[in-house]
Amino acid sequence: MTSAGAPAHPHSHSGFTRARRDFRTWRRTRPFWAGLLVLLAAAPIIYFPYFNLSLGGLSVAMSTMAGAGSLAIGLTLIVLGGLLWFQPIIRFFAGCVSIFLGVLSLPISNFGGFLIGTLLAATGGLLALAWGPVDGQPAGIADGTEEPSVGVNSEERAGE
């Protein structure tokens, strides 16, 4: 038996590997982690104002008058998280609004989902602001030569 004709990685072209590679490529072209954190921030902001806890015969209700405000903030964060994934061009707007809504949820939604939602929204918003698309490799870098700047032409360089 010989392995001369066998591929080095027999499962390298499987569907799972291809899907994982395609997902990695898609993830790297947008602020993925920012969108995920903004989406996760919506959960405690929406959940805690409607939270009911039963301890034996005692029922503790966390319902507040700001339930509608918490729902609006949480749904807006869900939309912003989705927009960060599928429309990365608006990352600056979505990042600013996510930070604003995270801070706004402090007085409206039980201290912003007990600070969990506020911290997730602020971190996701800051990641969205910091993210930038990766451009292709600039011209002249691959072969180690640099092109002259726009303001310098060959006549000026010859006179030096």
Side-chain angles (χ1 to χ4, degrees):
M1 291 200 136
T2 178
S3 62
H9 302 286
H11 302 290
S12 65
H13 299 294
S14 69
F16 177 73
T17 304
R18 188 177 322 115
R20 189 174 55 100
R21 191 174 355 151
D22 291 343
F23 176 69
R24 184 183 332 149
T25 303
W26 177 81
R27 188 186 71 210
R28 289 180 179 173
T29 61
R30 57 204 71 244
F32 177 78
W33 296 110
L36 182 66
L37 289 178
V38 171
L39 281 171
L40 290 176
I45 290 174
I46 290 175
Y47 179 72
F48 286 129
Y50 299 105
F51 179 64
N52 289 322
L53 175 65
S54 296
L55 298 172
L58 181 64
S59 178
V60 179
M62 297 293 291
S63 300
T64 63
M65 294 295 291
S70 300
L71 186 62
I73 289 172
L75 290 177
T76 306
L77 286 172
I78 290 172
V79 169
L80 289 172
L83 286 174
L84 282 170
W85 279 355
F86 299 110
Q87 295 292 328
I89 194 77
I90 65 159
R91 68 187 183 277
F92 187 79
F93 170 76
C96 290
V97 173
S98 297
I99 294 168
F100 175 73
L101 289 176
V103 172
L104 183 65
S105 71
L106 283 170
I108 291 179
S109 176
N110 294 332
F111 297 110
F114 298 113
L115 292 179
I116 298 168
T118 298
L119 292 175
L120 287 173
T123 305
L126 289 171
L127 283 174
L129 291 175
W131 184 84
V134 177
D135 295 332
Q137 192 165 9
I141 300 297
D143 59 358
T145 62
E146 287 187 21
E147 296 188 18
S149 64
V150 177
V152 178
N153 60 26
S154 60
E155 295 171 4
E156 290 177 1
R157 289 187 6 204
E160 291 177 359

